[in-house]
C-alpha cells in the first residue's frame, strides 16, 4: 500500500512537470525562429565590412573588381531576409550551411568545438551548484554565524570581480608564477588531444568559470533556507519532535531548492557569456573564438547556428529548472 501511494504521489508530481515541458517546447518553436531572424537583421546593421575579414591584409590594396568578385563568391551583397530564408530552408533539410570564416561545414565546426564548451560549462555549473547549495544551506541553518558571515563576504567579493579578472589572476599566479598549470589551450603544441591533457589544461578555466557562478547561487540558497527555517511548517515539525536530517530532507530542502533551480535557468545566459570570456583568455578550443570571427565577417550560417543554439540552451535550461521545481514542490503550479 505504501508503495502504491508513493507511485501515485510521484505521478501527481511528474504530470504537471511534463505538461510544463510540453508547453515550453511549443513556445520554443516561434521564439527560436524569431531569434534566428533577429540575428540576421542585427548582423546586417553591423558596421563591420565582411570583405575585410575575407581579404585580410589585401583589403586596402584590393581593386573594386576584386572586392566585387569576393562579395559575389561569399554572397555578402544579398539582403538579410534572403540570407535568413535560405539558411532556414537549408536547416529544415538538415544542412547548417558552410562557414566562410572556417572554410568548413558549420556542422563540422560545431562537432569539433562544441564538446569543449559544453563540457567546460556543464562541469562548472554542476560544481558551482553543488558548492553553493551545500555551503548556502549550512549558512542558512546557522544564520549570523561564522560560516554565514564568511559566505556573505566571499559572495560579495567574487560577485564584484568580473570573470576575466579572476582568469587573469589565475594565469598570473598558478601558471606564470608557480607554473603548476598550462597557460592556454587544451593540449601541448604538436601533441594530439588526450583525456589527461585536456583535464590538465581545463583546471584553470574550470575554476574561473565555477567561481563566477557560485555567489548568486549561494546567496539564493542561503536566503531560501533562512526563510524555510523560520516558516510555520518547520516550527510545527520541530514541535512534533522532528529534527536533524528528517527536518532538513522533509521540510527545508523541498522548499529551498525550488528558488535555486529557478535561478539556474535564468543564469544560463551569464554562464554562456562567462564561458566565452574564459575560453578567450585561456585559449580554450570552444566556440568563443569562432563566434567572434563569424560576427566580424558576417558569417551568417555559423553565427546563426551559435546564436540559435545559445537561445535553445537558455530555453531548455529554464524549462528544465522550472519543471524540476514543479516536481519537487507541486504547490508552485507553473503553467508556462
Amino acid at each position: 500500500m505504501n508503495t502504491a501511494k508513493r507511485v501515485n504521489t510521484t505521478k501527481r508530481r511528474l504530470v504537471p512537470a511534463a505538461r510544463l515541458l510540453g508547453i515550453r517546447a511549443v513556445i520554443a518553436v516561434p521564439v527560436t525562429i524569431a531569434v534566428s531572424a533577429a540575428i540576421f537583421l542585427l548582423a546586417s546593421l553591423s558596421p563591420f565590412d565582411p570583405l575585410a575579414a575575407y581579404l585580410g591584409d589585401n583589403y586596402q590594396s584590393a581593386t573594386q573588381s576584386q572586392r566585387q568578385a569576393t562579395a559575389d563568391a561569399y554572397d555578402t551583397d544579398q539582403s538579410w531576409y534572403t540570407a535568413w530564408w535560405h539558411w532556414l530552408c537549408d536547416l529544415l533539410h538538415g544542412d547548417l550551411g558552410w562557414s566562410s570564416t572556417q572554410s568548413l561545414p558549420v556542422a563540422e565546426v560545431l562537432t569539433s568545438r562544441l564538446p569543449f564548451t559544453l563540457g567546460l560549462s556543464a562541469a562548472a555549473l554542476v560544481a558551482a551548484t553543488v558548492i553553493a547549495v551545500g555551503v548556502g544551506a549550512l549558512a542558512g541553518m546557522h544564520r549570523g554565524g561564522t560560516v554565514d558571515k564568511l559566505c556573505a563576504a566571499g559572495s560579495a567579493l567574487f560577485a564584484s570581480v568580473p570573470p576575466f579578472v579572476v582568469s587573469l589572476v589565475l594565469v598570473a599566479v598558478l601558471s606564470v608564477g608557480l607554473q603548476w598549470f598550462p597557460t592556454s589551450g587544451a593540449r601541448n603544441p604538436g601533441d594530439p588531444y588526450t583525456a589527461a591533457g585536456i583535464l590538465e589544461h581545463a583546471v584553470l578555466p574550470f575554476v574561473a568559470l565555477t567561481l563566477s557562478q557560485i555567489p548568486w547561487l549561494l546567496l539564493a540558497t542561503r536566503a531560501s533556507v533562512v526563510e524555510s527555517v523560520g516558516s510555520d511548517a518547520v516550527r510545527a515539525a520541530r514541535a512534533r519532535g522532528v529534527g536533524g536530517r528528517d527536518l532538513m530532507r522533509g521540510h527545508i530542502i523541498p522548499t529551498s531548492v525550488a528558488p535555486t533551480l529557478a535561478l539556474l535557468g535564468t543564469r544560463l545566459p551569464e554562464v554562456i557569456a562567462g564561458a566565452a570570456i574564459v575560453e578567450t583568455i585561456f585559449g580554450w578550443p570552444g566556440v568563443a573564438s569562432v563566434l567572434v570571427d563569424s560576427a566580424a565577417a558576417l558569417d551568417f550560417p555559423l553565427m546563426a547556428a551559435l546564436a540559435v543554439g545559445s537561445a535553445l540552451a537558455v530555453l531548455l535550461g529554464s524549462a528544465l529548472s522550472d519543471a524540476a521545481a514543479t516536481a519537487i514542490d507541486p504547490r508552485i503550479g507553473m503553467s508556462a
Side-chain angles (χ1 to χ4, degrees), residues 63-86:
T63 63
Q64 185 60 37
S65 60
Q66 290 174 327
R67 294 189 180 189
Q68 187 60 48
T70 304
D72 294 339
Y74 291 104
D75 291 329
T76 60
D77 289 337
Q78 62 181 336
S79 61
W80 71 267
Y81 47 85
T82 301
W84 171 73
W85 181 251
H86 289 164

Side-chain angles (χ1 to χ4, degrees), residues 4 10 113 124 165 168 170 187 197-198 200 204 238 245 255 283:
T10 301
R113 291 180 172 269
V165 174
L168 293 176
L170 291 175
R187 60 181 175 179
I198 292 175
E200 181 184 11
L204 294 187
R238 283 177 169 170
R245 293 183 179 179
T255 57

Side-chain angles (χ1 to χ4, degrees), residues 68 82 121 151-152 156-158 161 205 207 209 212 215 252 255 275 283 285 297 327-328 335:
Q68 187 60 48
T82 301
S121 301
C151 287
L157 174 62
F158 284 106
V161 178
V207 172
L209 191 56
S212 68
I252 296 177
T255 57
I328 292 174
S335 58

Side-chain angles (χ1 to χ4, degrees), residues 76-261:
T76 60
D77 289 337
Q78 62 181 336
S79 61
W80 71 267
Y81 47 85
T82 301
W84 171 73
W85 181 251
H86 289 164
W87 176 84
L88 185 61
C89 293
D90 291 340
L91 179 63
L92 294 177
H93 291 87
D95 183 10
L96 294 178
W98 177 269
S99 171
S100 55
T101 57
Q102 303 299 310
S103 299
L104 290 170
V106 172
E108 187 173 337
V109 176
L110 297 180
T111 301
S112 62
R113 291 180 172 269
L114 201 55
F116 287 96
T117 295
L118 291 179
L120 178 63
S121 301
L125 189 58
V126 170
T129 302
V130 171
I131 295 172
V133 170
V135 179
L138 182 62
M141 290 293 293
H142 301 84
R143 182 181 182 183
T146 303
V147 175
D148 189 22
K149 293 178 180 178
L150 290 175
C151 287
S155 298
L157 174 62
F158 284 106
S160 62
V161 178
F164 75 89
V165 174
V166 176
S167 301
L168 293 176
V169 171
L170 291 175
V171 171
V173 176
L174 298 181
S175 292
V176 178
L178 300 176
Q179 298 184 353
W180 286 355
F181 300 101
T183 57
S184 62
R187 60 181 175 179
N188 294 324
D191 293 345
Y193 287 117
T194 62
I198 292 175
L199 290 176
E200 181 184 11
H201 286 75
V203 172
L204 294 187
F206 166 76
V207 172
L209 191 56
T210 300
L211 290 177
S212 68
Q213 302 306 316
I214 287 178
W216 303 108
L217 295 174
L218 191 154
L219 293 176
T221 303
R222 183 255 181 201
S224 298
V225 170
V226 169
E227 183 178 356
S228 297
V229 169
S231 65
D232 294 336
V234 172
R235 291 195 186 98
R238 283 177 169 170
R240 295 193 304 269
V242 180
R245 293 183 179 179
D246 293 335
L247 180 65
M248 178 68 73
R249 183 174 58 251
H251 296 81
I252 296 177
I253 292 298
T255 57
S256 300
V257 171
T260 305
L261 290 176

